[in-house]
Amino acid sequence: NAGVTQTPKFRVLKTGQSMTLLCAQDMNHEYMYWYRQDPGMGLRLIHYSVGEGTTAKGEVPDGYNVSRLKKQNFLLGLESAAPSQTSVYFCASSRLGGSYNEQFFGPGTRLTVL
Amino acid sequence: DQQVKQNSPSLSVQEGRISILNCDYTNSMFDYFLWYKKYPAEGPTFLISISSIKDKNEDGRFTVFLNKSAKHLSLHIVPSQPGDSAVYFCAASVWTGGFKTIFGAGTRLFVKA
């Protein structure tokens, strides 16, 4: 089992460019999440999904869009990247019915917007 | 408004001694509290959790204590090992038709050999 994988690992964008981050999980988890981690801020939830075809906004959704067309994949899109979106992005998944919602994280994508 | 706070950005401990990492929260509705451990260039991994109806949970060298009246929890690592050097995130979850999880900013632990 690969667990949660993220593509790409690193990316540098210019302001205004667009890109898509891909997250895949092979644990048959219902829930998937996208977080960003910034120094001194911890992990902040961008968007999440409770099942295939459903998405919802988290704490910091502005400037991002997501799609969950397949249960195992969760895509995060930046339509027009801004320097404020420079961050490390983590995808996570968790199973339906867990008592405390243990989340399994991918290795992260380091994004720099110039 | 930070609902989960880890006020110590870093902590340095000698190998074999106890490490105590602290976390404060403001929302009394949280159902579960979790600790995650993160090594550089990796994603966080789950370490230990505690239900809001308990005051202690132990797993090997790791023990989490919860003081609901003070809205405070702590993670004790005994004995500390150099491999424990990592960033530790405190997190709190509440069920609102789906789990909402709030993470603290993290504490970087250095265990010196």
Side-chain angles (χ1 to χ4, degrees), chain B residues 28-47:
Chain B
S28 59
M29 299 300 292
F30 287 130
D31 298 304
Y32 287 92
F33 301 91
L34 304 91
W35 286 93
Y36 285 83
K37 178 179 181 179
K38 184 185 179 304
Y39 291 117
E42 294 184 10
T45 55
F46 171 76
L47 188 59

Side-chain angles (χ1 to χ4, degrees), chain B residues 40-62:
Chain B
E42 294 184 10
T45 55
F46 171 76
L47 188 59
I48 191 169
S49 69
I50 187 168
S51 164
S52 62
I53 62 173
K54 295 190 174 182
D55 55 17
K56 178 181 175 181
N57 188 26
E58 191 171 356
D59 184 2
R61 297 186 298 114
F62 302 91

Side-chain angles (χ1 to χ4, degrees), chain A residues 31 33 35 37-38 40-45 48 50 59 90 96 98-108, chain B residues 2 32-34 36 38 41-46 49 87 89 93 95 97-106:
Chain A
Y31 299 149
Y33 315 82
Y35 292 92
Q37 184 194 5
D38 302 294
M41 300 290 289
L43 294 159
R44 291 184 293 168
L45 183 65
Y48 65 98
V50 299
E59 297 173 72
F90 289 100
L96 180 67
S99 59
Y100 50 81
N101 195 37
E102 175 189 350
Q103 295 181 30
F104 294 80
F105 285 83
Chain B
Q2 282 188 294
Y32 287 92
F33 301 91
L34 304 91
Y36 285 83
K38 184 185 179 304
E42 294 184 10
T45 55
F46 171 76
S49 69
V87 175
F89 290 101
S93 290
W95 177 260
F99 271 112
K100 176 180 178 181
T101 301
I102 306 294
F103 286 82

Side-chain angles (χ1 to χ4, degrees), chain A residues 18-75:
Chain A
S18 63
M19 77 163 294
T20 300
L21 282 68
L22 172 63
C23 175
Q25 53 95 4
D26 61 2
M27 296 174 283
N28 201 36
H29 285 169
E30 290 290 337
Y31 299 149
M32 295 189 75
Y33 315 82
W34 275 107
Y35 292 92
R36 59 178 289 172
Q37 184 194 5
D38 302 294
M41 300 290 289
L43 294 159
R44 291 184 293 168
L45 183 65
I46 304 170
H47 285 280
Y48 65 98
S49 168
V50 299
E52 182 178 324
T54 70
T55 63
K57 295 180 180 180
E59 297 173 72
V60 288
D62 294 342
Y64 305 95
N65 56 75
V66 288
S67 64
R68 182 111 181 258
L69 299 180
K70 294 182 179 180
K71 184 177 184 178
Q72 64 268 34
N73 295 337
F74 196 29
L75 279 63

